[in-house]
Amino acid sequence: MEEQIQNLRNQAIARIMALASTEEVEEAKLEYLGRSGKINEVTRQIPSLEPERRSVVGQLINDAREAIEQALIAQITEIKNKTDKNKWFDPTIPGNKPQIGHLHLVTQAIEEISSIFREIGFSRARYPEVEWDWYAFESLNMPHDHPARDEWETFFLDTPENPKLGKMVLTPHTSNGQVREMERVTNPPAGGPPIRMINIAKCYRRQSDVSHVPMFHQFEGLVVDRGISIVHLKGTLDYFARRFFGSERKTRLRPYHFQFTEPSFEVDISCGVCLGRGCKLCKSGWLELGGAGMVHPNVLKAGNIDSTKYSGFAFGWGVERTHMMKSGLKMEDIRTLYSSDLRYLRQF
Ligand code: FA5
């Protein structure tokens, strides 16, 4: 029986491959796969077999049916291609335009953010996204067991601990680049500050809801030099806000707390719809952008910078949230950005 099925399959495929017209292919389809076709003929013999052979033979028949179906489809295509080639061809007819994609919205936002900061003298830096605890927390004035660490809902890696640098983590924020950048400018042969860094990288946290994704991007600014004050921070943020969001938008600083900046602020931007007057969308007239502050002396110390000579400011914002706050964009769920829904992505 098994041999009979194998022969039927081979003969059918050989015959189908020799057919020259679609009518002949249709006839062969009936002959093999039709209700009274040869495949059904062998299928009807299954109940007469010993029970333990039935499933093996059934599987062979199914495989043969599939192979014959594939051969029929391939032969139809072959015949159609041959017929089309004999048709008259006009080479002057314009071809089909290939679909052109575009950079992802987050990549577009990253490029725009980098170029705005480049205009005012910042250099783009990149630091590891799989990082030591030391750079992600400890050097940022957050010793082990400090409760502030909880806010970062961190992914820890199951790898051996380093005696000085601690465990490995997926960077929960781009602030890991602060002490790394300070080390870069203080390690010989570099001669120390000034620093004007913009660090844009992926961050990871155990969060997912309408305003949180587990993998997102932050851009972190760090400026360290002699005589840096809050005025420089506010001026930099205003410059960025006007260039990115439009000249009518303003920023404001609200007192806040971060372990690595003192004083610390949350930065808000005036709402793009009501421009600060208050509306249904924003309620208060302001939308929250991210954190900022003056670099804490302990952080400067961890980066080998003398806090009696130098001071600095830092800020860290989410790229996705910043992009969502652009005027005219009404995105209700941050996860849409990573849903790969082409109906959404093609609009931009
Ligand atoms: C921080 O991460 C600080 N490192 C920011 C900072 C840097 C303060 C330098 C002072 C000086 P925070 O946890 O608030 O702060 O995150 C900053 C921004 O990242 C948020 O305002 C938000 O825009 C974005 N963000 C945080 N978590 C997520 C998430 N899960 N999904 C999308 N965006 C997020």
Side-chain angles (χ1 to χ4, degrees), residues 140 142 151-152 172-176 178 203-209 211-222 256-261 263-267 288-295 313-322 324-325 334 338:
L140 297 175
M142 281 186 274
E151 284 169 37
W152 277 271
H173 57 172
T174 41
S175 300
N176 71 310
Q178 290 194 16
C203 303
Y204 304 84
R205 295 186 194 181
R206 292 188 298 110
Q207 299 169 337
S208 179
D209 56 43
S211 50
H212 296 89
V213 272
M215 189 281 295
F216 59 102
H217 297 76
Q218 281 188 347
F219 57 106
E220 178 101 5
L222 175 69
Y256 199 70
H257 176 78
F258 290 105
Q259 277 295 113
F260 34 93
T261 44
S264 303
F265 310 100
E266 284 265 302
V267 184
E288 182 195 313
L289 268 179
M294 301 306 293
V295 181
F313 69 75
F315 56 89
W317 300 353
V319 173
E320 288 80 358
R321 295 245 196 111
T322 306
M324 286 165 74
M325 282 175 198
I334 192 170
Y338 293 111

Side-chain angles (χ1 to χ4, degrees), residues 162-197:
N162 176 296
K164 176 173 182 289
L165 305 171
K167 291 183 178 164
M168 291 205 100
V169 298
L170 295 184
T171 44
H173 57 172
T174 41
S175 300
N176 71 310
Q178 290 194 16
V179 168
R180 283 200 177 266
E181 177 74 3
M182 291 175 199
E183 285 177 350
R184 188 185 69 76
V185 300
T186 50
N187 282 344
I195 291 173
R196 248 176 265 135
M197 166 196 90

Side-chain angles (χ1 to χ4, degrees), residues 159-301:
T159 48
E161 250 184 72
N162 176 296
K164 176 173 182 289
L165 305 171
K167 291 183 178 164
M168 291 205 100
V169 298
L170 295 184
T171 44
H173 57 172
T174 41
S175 300
N176 71 310
Q178 290 194 16
V179 168
R180 283 200 177 266
E181 177 74 3
M182 291 175 199
E183 285 177 350
R184 188 185 69 76
V185 300
T186 50
N187 282 344
I195 291 173
R196 248 176 265 135
M197 166 196 90
I198 189 85
N199 171 26
I200 311 184
K202 290 193 182 79
C203 303
Y204 304 84
R205 295 186 194 181
R206 292 188 298 110
Q207 299 169 337
S208 179
D209 56 43
V210 287
S211 50
H212 296 89
V213 272
M215 189 281 295
F216 59 102
H217 297 76
Q218 281 188 347
F219 57 106
E220 178 101 5
L222 175 69
V223 170
V224 178
D225 204 348
R226 289 174 195 267
I228 296 293
S229 71
I230 296 175
V231 177
H232 298 108
L233 168 64
K234 183 74 169 67
T236 305
L237 300 183
D238 279 341
Y239 180 83
F240 172 75
R242 279 198 300 273
R243 288 282 287 104
F244 190 81
F245 296 103
S247 54
E248 69 290 358
R249 311 282 290 271
K250 290 195 182 74
T251 61
R252 76 172 182 191
L253 303 180
R254 242 181 322 112
Y256 199 70
H257 176 78
F258 290 105
Q259 277 295 113
F260 34 93
T261 44
E262 181 56 39
S264 303
F265 310 100
E266 284 265 302
V267 184
D268 296 336
I269 179 142
S270 54
C271 166
V273 176
C274 65
L275 300 180
R277 285 185 293 275
C279 67
K280 267 193 201 159
L281 187 76
C282 63
K283 296 195 178 73
S284 65
W286 296 89
L287 301 161
E288 182 195 313
L289 268 179
M294 301 306 293
V295 181
H296 196 288
N298 288 353
V299 179
L300 291 172
K301 196 172 156 203

